[in-house]
Amino acid sequence: MSGYYTKLRARRTYRWEGKPTICRLLPAEAVVSVGQYILIEGHDDDNPFVAQLLKLFCDDNGNKKAEVQWFVRMCEIHQNKRKLLGRSPHPQEVFYYQDRSCDNEVDAETILGSVQVCVYKAAPTTPRTPRHATPSIPTRSLPARKPENVLEEARARLHVSSVPESLPCREQEFQDIYSFVESKIMDGTGGCMYISGVPGTGKTATVHEVIRSLLQAAEQDEIPHFRFIEINGMRMTDPHQAYVQILQKLTDQKATADHAAALLEKRFSMPAPKKETTVLLVDELDLLWTRKQNVMYNLFDWPTRRHARLVVLTIANTMDLPERIMMNRVASRLGLTRMSFQPYNFKQLQQIITSRLNRVKAFEEDALQLISRKVAALSGDARRCLDICRRATEICEHSGQQGGTKLVGMSHVMEALDEMFSSSYITAIRCASLQEQLFLRAVIAEFRRLGLEEATFQQVFVQHQGLCRMEGLQPISVSEGLAVCQRLGACRLLLLEPSRLDLLLRVRLNVSQDDVLYALKAD
């Protein structure tokens, strides 16, 4: 804000009119000229508005008008903005007003007279906040602290957010995805690849590595330049927001979901000169499910358009999601290229940990093998494996402060595994009845079939009956199954969402699938 000091030297005379108890200051004729600072009638007679006269003119009806540049007093400024001044203002101080939403045309009759405005040089000027300013994290005054020992360095390298120097055990998947996208970019055509696999099997990391390599090739003019954008179903409150995010990332244009869908439909259907290929990554595709399935259908259909030049890479946890959300003939017509990521085995998990450590000797060989075998037996989730390794280094470091060994050994790993898989929930699962344990297994089986983290009681009950037959047990009735479900909900192993029909009761797990599998396999 730039400060000004006003000296009220009105170059005009006034006369009183009205009753003694109701007084109004009415102006006599006054002469003002363009460029002068003027006073304009306002809501408060003691504090008229201050402005600079920019133009005098008559409108179509012959009324005299004035175009002005407004100034504001401190009392007119929002309380939060007053803090920006950093000092106490002068009672007569006014400030330059730049908001274009305010009408800058006034009736000439409301001009009270001229006023002298002087720059208030005794006050330091305060820089204005930029129009589109956003909060930012201040830069470090000191560099980030470096690891003080081998265990700290290992912990940093094993963090899931740490970018590894290489991506082991997914070389073939990398090559297949790279070849698919590269061929589409080179040919100027479109296509869609459906990538599936259980969580923690390297799907997203592999695709990101492919895109990084392709962008590097484009910078070296080995392939044509392309546009890469990414959306994630987990970051949306509504599946239709996918249209809004795609349009904004492509064109920097904001629109409603329906309008964005129409604009994208037109963009991918019409030819355009010098149109470059767009590579779109859709992660967590499972969460873009809608009743009419229009969002998923469009994502699969747009790449087939002749002029789209769109390559879509979709990532989901379920192998047959396209067939289940659309009719088989529609799914086959779209011609999806498929890629399935299998869970890591214990040797692959051990190789992943070793490659991340990169010659940092922090673990005993047997300790690494134990972690890898334990996680591979449950889910093959590399992220869970890294979490256990990090916790084991913390336990080892704590014991080292008390005179213990400096390498992570079997005892540290066993303690970390016990912490990871020995919660009160796991104890409750182990103490549950056989039918309750079978019901939990049925819940996980149905989640994996659907590729979602929610199912109805009816869907889970069908799985439960199948498991009973496999175990040689007599299937229970619907009412008995509902009672089992309610008991699991009462101890908070399941989250239940009521419905008018018991069969449509929504069921979700309140613990991780790994914890359930660990508790059941421990039996």
Side-chain angles (χ1 to χ4, degrees):
M1 289 185 284
S2 300
Y4 294 87
Y5 180 69
T6 57
K7 296 181 180 178
L8 304 181
R9 297 178 180 174
R11 301 173 184 170
R12 59 192 305 170
T13 58
Y14 299 89
R15 67 177 183 270
W16 292 100
E17 176 178 303
K19 298 178 181 178
T21 55
I22 303 177
C23 298
R24 184 185 178 196
L25 199 59
L26 291 180
E29 287 190 5
V31 177
V32 294
S33 58
V34 174
Q36 284 185 316
Y37 296 95
I38 56 176
L39 296 175
I40 299 175
E41 286 183 1
H43 305 296
D44 185 357
D45 291 341
D46 295 330
N47 294 296
F49 296 132
V50 181
Q52 183 180 19
L53 182 59
L54 303 180
K55 182 179 178 182
L56 288 168
F57 62 97
C58 292
D59 62 11
D60 296 338
N61 298 323
N63 299 319
K64 294 181 180 180
K65 296 284 186 178
E67 181 180 336
V68 298
Q69 167 60 58
W70 294 105
F71 290 78
V72 293
R73 303 176 188 273
M74 181 58 74
C75 60
E76 301 175 69
I77 299 176
H78 193 276
Q79 188 69 33
N80 293 337
K81 293 272 183 84
R82 298 181 192 180
K83 301 176 182 178
L84 297 174
L85 186 61
R87 56 176 174 81
S88 299
H90 190 279
Q92 291 297 104
E93 194 169 2
V94 293
F95 302 90
Y96 194 79
Y97 190 64
Q98 284 189 309
D99 193 340
R100 297 182 179 180
S101 63
C102 186
D103 189 3
N104 62 349
E105 291 184 4
V106 299
D107 292 330
E109 296 178 353
T110 61
I111 299 176
L112 299 176
S114 61
V115 65
Q116 184 177 358
V117 176
C118 303
V119 177
Y120 190 34
K121 295 183 179 180
T125 59
T126 304
R128 292 187 300 107
T129 304
R131 183 179 178 186
H132 299 292
T134 55
S136 61
I137 299 175
T139 56
R140 293 179 183 269
S141 56
L142 296 174
R145 187 174 68 88
K146 294 182 179 181
E148 294 181 355
N149 53 53
V150 172
L151 293 175
E152 278 195 11
E153 185 174 354
R155 197 153 52 244
R157 288 174 175 269
L158 293 171
H159 199 283
V160 291
S161 65
S162 175
V163 180
E165 297 177 6
S166 63
L167 195 65
C169 308
R170 291 301 182 208
E171 291 82 5
Q172 186 59 52
E173 290 85 352
F174 173 91
Q175 188 60 48
D176 291 346
I177 299 173
Y178 187 98
S179 299
F180 173 81
V181 180
E182 181 190 40
S183 64
K184 302 300 180 184
I185 296 175
M186 296 291 290
D187 298 339
T189 57
C192 182
M193 175 176 277
Y194 180 76
I195 302 169
S196 61
V198 297
T201 51
K203 303 183 296 296
T204 304
T206 303
V207 173
H208 281 158
E209 185 65 19
V210 167
I211 297 300
R212 188 193 65 79
S213 300
L214 287 169
L215 289 172
Q216 186 176 356
E219 290 177 359
Q220 298 173 357
D221 294 327
E222 296 176 2
I223 62 173
H225 286 265
F226 66 96
R227 183 86 175 271
F228 172 68
I229 59 176
E230 177 182 1
I231 62 173
N232 191 311
M234 190 173 289
R235 300 171 187 167
M236 304 177 196
T237 57
D238 181 79
H240 294 90
Q241 288 182 356
Y243 299 133
V244 178
Q245 291 192 15
I246 294 172
L247 181 68
Q248 186 172 1
K249 291 182 178 183
L250 276 177
T251 65
D252 292 329
Q253 181 179 354
K254 293 183 178 181
T256 62
D258 291 339
H259 189 205
L263 292 175
L264 290 172
E265 176 74 21
K266 182 178 180 181
R267 179 186 180 91
F268 296 131
S269 301
M270 303 294 292
K274 299 181 180 180
K275 193 174 187 178
E276 66 179 6
T277 299
T278 299
V279 179
L280 169 62
L281 171 60
V282 183
D283 205 351
E284 304 290 352
L285 178 71
D286 320 61
L287 302 180
L288 297 184
W289 184 92
T290 59
R291 187 178 298 275
K292 295 183 179 180
Q293 307 299 357
N294 56 336
V295 176
M296 286 190 183
Y297 179 81
N298 285 332
L299 291 174
F300 291 140
D301 182 56
W302 283 336
T304 65
R305 306 290 176 84
R306 178 182 177 186
H307 303 289
R309 299 195 69 168
L310 174 66
V311 182
V312 176
L313 302 174
T314 60
I315 299 177
N317 296 331
T318 311
M319 184 177 296
D320 61 342
L321 185 63
E323 284 76 18
R324 288 197 284 104
I325 64 172
M326 297 176 287
M327 292 184 294
N328 284 332
R329 62 182 180 84
V330 176
S332 61
R333 180 179 68 80
L334 296 177
L336 299 175
T337 301
R338 297 175 185 272
M339 169 69 63
S340 178
F341 279 63
Q342 298 301 318
Y344 291 111
N345 58 42
F346 86 93
K347 289 185 177 179
Q348 290 175 325
L349 290 173
Q350 193 170 351
Q351 185 179 347
I352 290 171
I353 299 171
T354 304
S355 67
R356 277 183 172 254
L357 291 174
N358 191 20
R359 296 185 297 277
V360 174
K361 184 63 175 176
F363 286 79
E364 294 178 0
E365 193 67 26
D366 291 343
L368 279 183
Q369 191 171 135
L370 175 61
I371 296 174
S372 303
R373 287 185 180 277
K374 184 67 73 171
V375 175
L378 291 175
S379 61
D381 188 337
R383 290 174 294 193
R384 174 57 69 95
C385 194
L386 295 174
D387 288 340
I388 295 172
C389 288
R390 282 171 50 81
R391 179 56 187 148
T393 62
E394 293 173 346
I395 295 171
C396 178
E397 190 171 24
H398 179 70
S399 66
Q401 293 173 355
Q402 300 174 354
T405 179
K406 293 184 179 180
L407 286 181
V408 178
M410 297 286 285
S411 61
H412 307 121
V413 169
M414 289 301 298
E415 188 175 344
L417 287 170
D418 287 341
E419 284 186 10
M420 288 283 186
F421 296 111
S422 296
S423 65
S424 58
Y425 288 114
I426 290 180
T427 303
I429 295 171
R430 288 174 175 170
C431 296
S433 68
L434 178 59
Q435 290 294 343
E436 289 169 349
Q437 291 181 351
L438 281 176
F439 196 88
L440 290 173
R441 286 173 56 188
V443 169
I444 293 178
E446 185 62 19
F447 284 1
R448 291 184 173 181
R449 188 187 75 84
L450 294 173
L452 303 172
E453 295 294 324
E454 183 179 88
T456 64
F457 167 77
Q458 184 178 24
Q459 293 169 323
V460 176
F461 184 70
V462 172
Q463 290 279 358
H464 183 268
Q465 288 186 312
L467 288 174
C468 286
R469 296 188 184 97
M470 287 176 58
E471 297 290 336
L473 300 174
Q474 178 68 31
I476 61 177
S477 65
V478 174
S479 58
E480 290 173 329
L482 189 61
V484 169
C485 182
Q486 296 286 3
R487 287 199 299 270
L488 291 172
C491 62
R492 303 301 290 174
L493 290 173
L494 294 180
L495 297 177
L496 306 178
E497 184 178 331
S499 175
R500 287 183 299 175
L501 297 176
D502 290 337
L503 290 176
L504 300 181
L505 183 76
R506 309 300 297 181
V507 178
R508 286 183 292 143
L509 278 174
N510 197 31
V511 292
S512 71
Q513 295 187 22
D514 276 3
D515 288 346
V516 176
L517 293 174
Y518 178 81
L520 295 177
K521 287 192 177 184
D523 281 346

